PDB file of all heavy atoms in Angstrom:
ATOM      1  N   ASN A   1      31.669 -91.284  54.946  1.00 81.00           N
ATOM      2  CA  ASN A   1      31.583 -92.110  53.750  1.00 81.00           C
ATOM      3  C   ASN A   1      32.348 -91.508  52.587  1.00 81.00           C
ATOM      4  O   ASN A   1      32.967 -92.226  51.797  1.00 81.00           O
ATOM      5  CB  ASN A   1      30.118 -92.320  53.352  1.00 81.00           C
ATOM      6  CG  ASN A   1      29.440 -93.370  54.207  1.00 81.00           C
ATOM      7  OD1 ASN A   1      30.071 -94.333  54.646  1.00 81.00           O
ATOM      8  ND2 ASN A   1      28.161 -93.184  54.482  1.00 81.00           N
ATOM      9  N   LEU A   2      32.325 -90.179  52.472  1.00 83.00           N
ATOM     10  CA  LEU A   2      32.997 -89.527  51.357  1.00 83.00           C
ATOM     11  C   LEU A   2      34.504 -89.749  51.375  1.00 83.00           C
ATOM     12  O   LEU A   2      35.129 -89.881  50.325  1.00 83.00           O
ATOM     13  CB  LEU A   2      32.703 -88.020  51.385  1.00 83.00           C
ATOM     14  CG  LEU A   2      31.327 -87.584  50.885  1.00 83.00           C
ATOM     15  CD1 LEU A   2      31.116 -86.105  51.174  1.00 83.00           C
ATOM     16  CD2 LEU A   2      31.188 -87.847  49.392  1.00 83.00           C
ATOM     17  N   VAL A   3      35.091 -89.773  52.581  1.00 88.00           N
ATOM     18  CA  VAL A   3      36.561 -89.845  52.658  1.00 88.00           C
ATOM     19  C   VAL A   3      37.053 -91.222  53.100  1.00 88.00           C
ATOM     20  O   VAL A   3      38.237 -91.394  53.389  1.00 88.00           O
ATOM     21  CB  VAL A   3      37.102 -88.756  53.614  1.00 88.00           C
ATOM     22  CG1 VAL A   3      36.628 -87.384  53.180  1.00 88.00           C
ATOM     23  CG2 VAL A   3      36.663 -89.011  55.055  1.00 88.00           C
ATOM     24  N   ARG A   4      36.168 -92.190  53.148  1.00 89.00           N
ATOM     25  CA  ARG A   4      36.551 -93.526  53.611  1.00 89.00           C
ATOM     26  C   ARG A   4      37.711 -94.117  52.798  1.00 89.00           C
ATOM     27  O   ARG A   4      38.658 -94.687  53.350  1.00 89.00           O
ATOM     28  CB  ARG A   4      35.341 -94.453  53.542  1.00 89.00           C
ATOM     29  CG  ARG A   4      35.560 -95.816  54.201  1.00 89.00           C
ATOM     30  CD  ARG A   4      34.303 -96.667  54.069  1.00 89.00           C
ATOM     31  NE  ARG A   4      33.151 -96.008  54.673  1.00 89.00           N
ATOM     32  CZ  ARG A   4      32.845 -96.103  55.958  1.00 89.00           C
ATOM     33  NH1 ARG A   4      33.606 -96.827  56.760  1.00 89.00           N
ATOM     34  NH2 ARG A   4      31.781 -95.493  56.441  1.00 89.00           N
ATOM     35  N   THR A   5      37.653 -93.968  51.479  1.00 92.00           N
ATOM     36  CA  THR A   5      38.677 -94.569  50.620  1.00 92.00           C
ATOM     37  C   THR A   5      40.058 -93.965  50.852  1.00 92.00           C
ATOM     38  O   THR A   5      41.027 -94.703  51.075  1.00 92.00           O
ATOM     39  CB  THR A   5      38.273 -94.458  49.141  1.00 92.00           C
ATOM     40  OG1 THR A   5      37.054 -95.187  48.931  1.00 92.00           O
ATOM     41  CG2 THR A   5      39.360 -95.034  48.232  1.00 92.00           C
ATOM     42  N   PRO A   6      40.221 -92.620  50.807  1.00 94.00           N
ATOM     43  CA  PRO A   6      41.560 -92.068  51.067  1.00 94.00           C
ATOM     44  C   PRO A   6      42.065 -92.316  52.482  1.00 94.00           C
ATOM     45  O   PRO A   6      43.270 -92.489  52.691  1.00 94.00           O
ATOM     46  CB  PRO A   6      41.400 -90.570  50.773  1.00 94.00           C
ATOM     47  CG  PRO A   6      39.939 -90.315  50.784  1.00 94.00           C
ATOM     48  CD  PRO A   6      39.289 -91.570  50.352  1.00 94.00           C
ATOM     49  N   LEU A   7      41.160 -92.386  53.467  1.00 94.00           N
ATOM     50  CA  LEU A   7      41.604 -92.660  54.833  1.00 94.00           C
ATOM     51  C   LEU A   7      42.081 -94.101  54.971  1.00 94.00           C
ATOM     52  O   LEU A   7      43.066 -94.380  55.665  1.00 94.00           O
ATOM     53  CB  LEU A   7      40.486 -92.367  55.830  1.00 94.00           C
ATOM     54  CG  LEU A   7      40.068 -90.918  55.995  1.00 94.00           C
ATOM     55  CD1 LEU A   7      39.088 -90.774  57.156  1.00 94.00           C
ATOM     56  CD2 LEU A   7      41.273 -90.013  56.213  1.00 94.00           C
ATOM     57  N   ALA A   8      41.401 -95.013  54.307  1.00 94.00           N
ATOM     58  CA  ALA A   8      41.835 -96.412  54.334  1.00 94.00           C
ATOM     59  C   ALA A   8      43.198 -96.545  53.662  1.00 94.00           C
ATOM     60  O   ALA A   8      44.074 -97.284  54.131  1.00 94.00           O
ATOM     61  CB  ALA A   8      40.808 -97.294  53.636  1.00 94.00           C
ATOM     62  N   ALA A   9      43.393 -95.805  52.569  1.00 95.00           N
ATOM     63  CA  ALA A   9      44.682 -95.836  51.874  1.00 95.00           C
ATOM     64  C   ALA A   9      45.793 -95.270  52.757  1.00 95.00           C
ATOM     65  O   ALA A   9      46.914 -95.796  52.784  1.00 95.00           O
ATOM     66  CB  ALA A   9      44.588 -95.045  50.574  1.00 95.00           C
ATOM     67  N   LEU A  10      45.474 -94.208  53.502  1.00 95.00           N
ATOM     68  CA  LEU A  10      46.456 -93.620  54.419  1.00 95.00           C
ATOM     69  C   LEU A  10      46.826 -94.620  55.508  1.00 95.00           C
ATOM     70  O   LEU A  10      47.999 -94.736  55.885  1.00 95.00           O
ATOM     71  CB  LEU A  10      45.888 -92.343  55.030  1.00 95.00           C
ATOM     72  CG  LEU A  10      46.766 -91.618  56.054  1.00 95.00           C
ATOM     73  CD1 LEU A  10      48.059 -91.146  55.411  1.00 95.00           C
ATOM     74  CD2 LEU A  10      46.016 -90.431  56.665  1.00 95.00           C
ATOM     75  N   GLY A  11      45.846 -95.341  56.017  1.00 93.00           N
ATOM     76  CA  GLY A  11      46.113 -96.351  57.044  1.00 93.00           C
ATOM     77  C   GLY A  11      47.017 -97.449  56.530  1.00 93.00           C
ATOM     78  O   GLY A  11      47.946 -97.890  57.220  1.00 93.00           O
ATOM     79  N   ARG A  12      46.752 -97.899  55.285  1.00 93.00           N
ATOM     80  CA  ARG A  12      47.598 -98.960  54.711  1.00 93.00           C
ATOM     81  C   ARG A  12      49.016 -98.454  54.455  1.00 93.00           C
ATOM     82  O   ARG A  12      49.990 -99.170  54.674  1.00 93.00           O
ATOM     83  CB  ARG A  12      46.985 -99.458  53.400  1.00 93.00           C
ATOM     84  CG  ARG A  12      45.693-100.263  53.573  1.00 93.00           C
ATOM     85  CD  ARG A  12      45.317-100.963  52.283  1.00 93.00           C
ATOM     86  NE  ARG A  12      45.086-100.019  51.190  1.00 93.00           N
ATOM     87  CZ  ARG A  12      43.911 -99.468  50.919  1.00 93.00           C
ATOM     88  NH1 ARG A  12      42.851 -99.746  51.670  1.00 93.00           N
ATOM     89  NH2 ARG A  12      43.774 -98.632  49.898  1.00 93.00           N
ATOM     90  N   GLN A  13      49.114 -97.211  54.006  1.00 94.00           N
ATOM     91  CA  GLN A  13      50.422 -96.653  53.678  1.00 94.00           C
ATOM     92  C   GLN A  13      51.296 -96.470  54.916  1.00 94.00           C
ATOM     93  O   GLN A  13      52.502 -96.721  54.879  1.00 94.00           O
ATOM     94  CB  GLN A  13      50.249 -95.312  52.960  1.00 94.00           C
ATOM     95  CG  GLN A  13      51.562 -94.646  52.550  1.00 94.00           C
ATOM     96  CD  GLN A  13      51.339 -93.294  51.886  1.00 94.00           C
ATOM     97  OE1 GLN A  13      50.198 -92.828  51.742  1.00 94.00           O
ATOM     98  NE2 GLN A  13      52.424 -92.652  51.477  1.00 94.00           N
ATOM     99  N   THR A  14      50.691 -96.025  56.011  1.00 94.00           N
ATOM    100  CA  THR A  14      51.465 -95.705  57.214  1.00 94.00           C
ATOM    101  C   THR A  14      51.464 -96.816  58.252  1.00 94.00           C
ATOM    102  O   THR A  14      52.313 -96.827  59.141  1.00 94.00           O
ATOM    103  CB  THR A  14      50.908 -94.428  57.861  1.00 94.00           C
ATOM    104  OG1 THR A  14      49.550 -94.659  58.271  1.00 94.00           O
ATOM    105  CG2 THR A  14      50.968 -93.258  56.888  1.00 94.00           C
ATOM    106  N   ASP A  15      50.479 -97.709  58.172  1.00 92.00           N
ATOM    107  CA  ASP A  15      50.302 -98.770  59.158  1.00 92.00           C
ATOM    108  C   ASP A  15      50.082 -98.200  60.558  1.00 92.00           C
ATOM    109  O   ASP A  15      50.509 -98.773  61.551  1.00 92.00           O
ATOM    110  CB  ASP A  15      51.501 -99.727  59.158  1.00 92.00           C
ATOM    111  CG  ASP A  15      51.144-101.083  59.764  1.00 92.00           C
ATOM    112  OD1 ASP A  15      49.954-101.453  59.728  1.00 92.00           O
ATOM    113  OD2 ASP A  15      52.047-101.759  60.290  1.00 92.00           O
ATOM    114  N   GLU A  16      49.411 -97.041  60.606  1.00 93.00           N
ATOM    115  CA  GLU A  16      49.068 -96.408  61.874  1.00 93.00           C
ATOM    116  C   GLU A  16      47.552 -96.193  61.940  1.00 93.00           C
ATOM    117  O   GLU A  16      46.864 -96.228  60.918  1.00 93.00           O
ATOM    118  CB  GLU A  16      49.785 -95.064  62.039  1.00 93.00           C
ATOM    119  CG  GLU A  16      51.297 -95.112  61.951  1.00 93.00           C
ATOM    120  CD  GLU A  16      51.968 -95.892  63.086  1.00 93.00           C
ATOM    121  OE1 GLU A  16      51.246 -96.414  63.958  1.00 93.00           O
ATOM    122  OE2 GLU A  16      53.210 -95.963  63.088  1.00 93.00           O
ATOM    123  N   THR A  17      47.043 -95.958  63.146  1.00 92.00           N
ATOM    124  CA  THR A  17      45.614 -95.726  63.330  1.00 92.00           C
ATOM    125  C   THR A  17      45.231 -94.341  62.800  1.00 92.00           C
ATOM    126  O   THR A  17      45.879 -93.343  63.113  1.00 92.00           O
ATOM    127  CB  THR A  17      45.235 -95.832  64.815  1.00 92.00           C
ATOM    128  OG1 THR A  17      45.505 -97.152  65.267  1.00 92.00           O
ATOM    129  CG2 THR A  17      43.757 -95.528  65.021  1.00 92.00           C
ATOM    130  N   VAL A  18      44.175 -94.300  62.001  1.00 94.00           N
ATOM    131  CA  VAL A  18      43.697 -93.058  61.393  1.00 94.00           C
ATOM    132  C   VAL A  18      42.362 -92.675  62.026  1.00 94.00           C
ATOM    133  O   VAL A  18      41.480 -93.512  62.185  1.00 94.00           O
ATOM    134  CB  VAL A  18      43.505 -93.219  59.869  1.00 94.00           C
ATOM    135  CG1 VAL A  18      43.043 -91.901  59.246  1.00 94.00           C
ATOM    136  CG2 VAL A  18      44.783 -93.713  59.216  1.00 94.00           C
ATOM    137  N   HIS A  19      42.229 -91.404  62.393  1.00 94.00           N
ATOM    138  CA  HIS A  19      40.963 -90.881  62.906  1.00 94.00           C
ATOM    139  C   HIS A  19      40.462 -89.749  62.016  1.00 94.00           C
ATOM    140  O   HIS A  19      41.273 -88.952  61.519  1.00 94.00           O
ATOM    141  CB  HIS A  19      41.120 -90.316  64.319  1.00 94.00           C
ATOM    142  CG  HIS A  19      41.354 -91.335  65.378  1.00 94.00           C
ATOM    143  ND1 HIS A  19      42.603 -91.553  65.934  1.00 94.00           N
ATOM    144  CD2 HIS A  19      40.516 -92.199  65.992  1.00 94.00           C
ATOM    145  CE1 HIS A  19      42.513 -92.509  66.849  1.00 94.00           C
ATOM    146  NE2 HIS A  19      41.260 -92.918  66.908  1.00 94.00           N
ATOM    147  N   LEU A  20      39.156 -89.692  61.846  1.00 94.00           N
ATOM    148  CA  LEU A  20      38.498 -88.526  61.263  1.00 94.00           C
ATOM    149  C   LEU A  20      37.612 -87.953  62.352  1.00 94.00           C
ATOM    150  O   LEU A  20      36.817 -88.683  62.962  1.00 94.00           O
ATOM    151  CB  LEU A  20      37.652 -88.918  60.051  1.00 94.00           C
ATOM    152  CG  LEU A  20      36.718 -87.818  59.498  1.00 94.00           C
ATOM    153  CD1 LEU A  20      37.514 -86.659  58.917  1.00 94.00           C
ATOM    154  CD2 LEU A  20      35.783 -88.399  58.438  1.00 94.00           C
ATOM    155  N   ALA A  21      37.768 -86.666  62.638  1.00 94.00           N
ATOM    156  CA  ALA A  21      36.990 -86.027  63.702  1.00 94.00           C
ATOM    157  C   ALA A  21      36.327 -84.771  63.182  1.00 94.00           C
ATOM    158  O   ALA A  21      36.831 -84.125  62.249  1.00 94.00           O
ATOM    159  CB  ALA A  21      37.894 -85.686  64.886  1.00 94.00           C
ATOM    160  N   MET A  22      35.203 -84.429  63.782  1.00 92.00           N
ATOM    161  CA  MET A  22      34.530 -83.191  63.435  1.00 92.00           C
ATOM    162  C   MET A  22      34.312 -82.353  64.691  1.00 92.00           C
ATOM    163  O   MET A  22      34.206 -82.877  65.803  1.00 92.00           O
ATOM    164  CB  MET A  22      33.181 -83.464  62.761  1.00 92.00           C
ATOM    165  CG  MET A  22      32.114 -84.069  63.658  1.00 92.00           C
ATOM    166  SD  MET A  22      30.493 -84.181  62.837  1.00 92.00           S
ATOM    167  CE  MET A  22      30.042 -82.433  62.804  1.00 92.00           C
ATOM    168  N   GLN A  23      34.290 -81.035  64.498  1.00 93.00           N
ATOM    169  CA  GLN A  23      34.063 -80.109  65.610  1.00 93.00           C
ATOM    170  C   GLN A  23      32.582 -79.986  65.890  1.00 93.00           C
ATOM    171  O   GLN A  23      31.758 -79.899  64.978  1.00 93.00           O
ATOM    172  CB  GLN A  23      34.657 -78.746  65.261  1.00 93.00           C
ATOM    173  CG  GLN A  23      34.282 -77.632  66.226  1.00 93.00           C
ATOM    174  CD  GLN A  23      33.135 -76.784  65.703  1.00 93.00           C
ATOM    175  OE1 GLN A  23      32.956 -76.640  64.495  1.00 93.00           O
ATOM    176  NE2 GLN A  23      32.371 -76.208  66.621  1.00 93.00           N
ATOM    177  N   GLU A  24      32.253 -80.006  67.163  1.00 90.00           N
ATOM    178  CA  GLU A  24      30.871 -79.792  67.591  1.00 90.00           C
ATOM    179  C   GLU A  24      30.918 -79.020  68.895  1.00 90.00           C
ATOM    180  O   GLU A  24      31.270 -79.569  69.937  1.00 90.00           O
ATOM    181  CB  GLU A  24      30.147 -81.123  67.766  1.00 90.00           C
ATOM    182  CG  GLU A  24      28.642 -80.991  67.917  1.00 90.00           C
ATOM    183  CD  GLU A  24      27.936 -82.340  67.869  1.00 90.00           C
ATOM    184  OE1 GLU A  24      27.595 -82.786  66.765  1.00 90.00           O
ATOM    185  OE2 GLU A  24      27.757 -82.942  68.946  1.00 90.00           O
ATOM    186  N   GLY A  25      30.602 -77.737  68.835  1.00 92.00           N
ATOM    187  CA  GLY A  25      30.717 -76.907  70.028  1.00 92.00           C
ATOM    188  C   GLY A  25      32.170 -76.748  70.443  1.00 92.00           C
ATOM    189  O   GLY A  25      33.031 -76.420  69.635  1.00 92.00           O
ATOM    190  N   GLN A  26      32.453 -77.029  71.703  1.00 94.00           N
ATOM    191  CA  GLN A  26      33.832 -76.938  72.220  1.00 94.00           C
ATOM    192  C   GLN A  26      34.571 -78.272  72.123  1.00 94.00           C
ATOM    193  O   GLN A  26      35.684 -78.400  72.627  1.00 94.00           O
ATOM    194  CB  GLN A  26      33.832 -76.488  73.684  1.00 94.00           C
ATOM    195  CG  GLN A  26      33.551 -75.021  73.897  1.00 94.00           C
ATOM    196  CD  GLN A  26      32.122 -74.646  73.582  1.00 94.00           C
ATOM    197  OE1 GLN A  26      31.869 -73.926  72.619  1.00 94.00           O
ATOM    198  NE2 GLN A  26      31.186 -75.146  74.371  1.00 94.00           N
ATOM    199  N   ASP A  27      33.949 -79.244  71.477  1.00 94.00           N
ATOM    200  CA  ASP A  27      34.509 -80.590  71.427  1.00 94.00           C
ATOM    201  C   ASP A  27      34.807 -81.036  70.004  1.00 94.00           C
ATOM    202  O   ASP A  27      34.389 -80.423  69.021  1.00 94.00           O
ATOM    203  CB  ASP A  27      33.524 -81.601  72.030  1.00 94.00           C
ATOM    204  CG  ASP A  27      33.215 -81.324  73.487  1.00 94.00           C
ATOM    205  OD1 ASP A  27      34.073 -80.734  74.169  1.00 94.00           O
ATOM    206  OD2 ASP A  27      32.117 -81.699  73.935  1.00 94.00           O
ATOM    207  N   ILE A  28      35.527 -82.153  69.924  1.00 93.00           N
ATOM    208  CA  ILE A  28      35.619 -82.903  68.675  1.00 93.00           C
ATOM    209  C   ILE A  28      34.886 -84.219  68.909  1.00 93.00           C
ATOM    210  O   ILE A  28      34.801 -84.703  70.049  1.00 93.00           O
ATOM    211  CB  ILE A  28      37.071 -83.164  68.215  1.00 93.00           C
ATOM    212  CG1 ILE A  28      37.865 -83.948  69.276  1.00 93.00           C
ATOM    213  CG2 ILE A  28      37.753 -81.870  67.844  1.00 93.00           C
ATOM    214  CD1 ILE A  28      37.893 -85.436  69.094  1.00 93.00           C
ATOM    215  N   VAL A  29      34.339 -84.765  67.841  1.00 89.00           N
ATOM    216  CA  VAL A  29      33.673 -86.061  67.891  1.00 89.00           C
ATOM    217  C   VAL A  29      34.332 -86.949  66.844  1.00 89.00           C
ATOM    218  O   VAL A  29      34.467 -86.556  65.679  1.00 89.00           O
ATOM    219  CB  VAL A  29      32.164 -85.941  67.595  1.00 89.00           C
ATOM    220  CG1 VAL A  29      31.501 -87.317  67.669  1.00 89.00           C
ATOM    221  CG2 VAL A  29      31.498 -84.979  68.560  1.00 89.00           C
ATOM    222  N   TYR A  30      34.766 -88.139  67.257  1.00 90.00           N
ATOM    223  CA  TYR A  30      35.346 -89.074  66.294  1.00 90.00           C
ATOM    224  C   TYR A  30      34.224 -89.675  65.454  1.00 90.00           C
ATOM    225  O   TYR A  30      33.268 -90.240  65.991  1.00 90.00           O
ATOM    226  CB  TYR A  30      36.099 -90.192  67.022  1.00 90.00           C
ATOM    227  CG  TYR A  30      37.316 -89.723  67.779  1.00 90.00           C
ATOM    228  CD1 TYR A  30      37.346 -89.734  69.179  1.00 90.00           C
ATOM    229  CD2 TYR A  30      38.437 -89.260  67.110  1.00 90.00           C
ATOM    230  CE1 TYR A  30      38.463 -89.298  69.882  1.00 90.00           C
ATOM    231  CE2 TYR A  30      39.555 -88.824  67.808  1.00 90.00           C
ATOM    232  CZ  TYR A  30      39.559 -88.847  69.186  1.00 90.00           C
ATOM    233  OH  TYR A  30      40.660 -88.415  69.872  1.00 90.00           O
TER     234      TYR A  30
END
């Protein structure tokens, strides 16, 4: 929720799919 606005702006600017992921153990979670 905190970064939703800048990520949406990045998506509009680049017209590409944007992911935010976090590390959990040996994995990332989208």
Side-chain angles (χ1 to χ4, degrees):
N1 282 327
L2 283 171
V3 304
R4 189 180 302 274
T5 298
L7 293 188
L10 178 63
R12 290 192 299 271
Q13 181 182 1
T14 62
D15 201 26
E16 303 294 0
T17 297
V18 182
H19 290 104
L20 170 66
M22 68 173 288
Q23 170 261 331
E24 192 171 272
Q26 285 70 248
D27 299 333
I28 59 94
V29 180
Y30 294 111

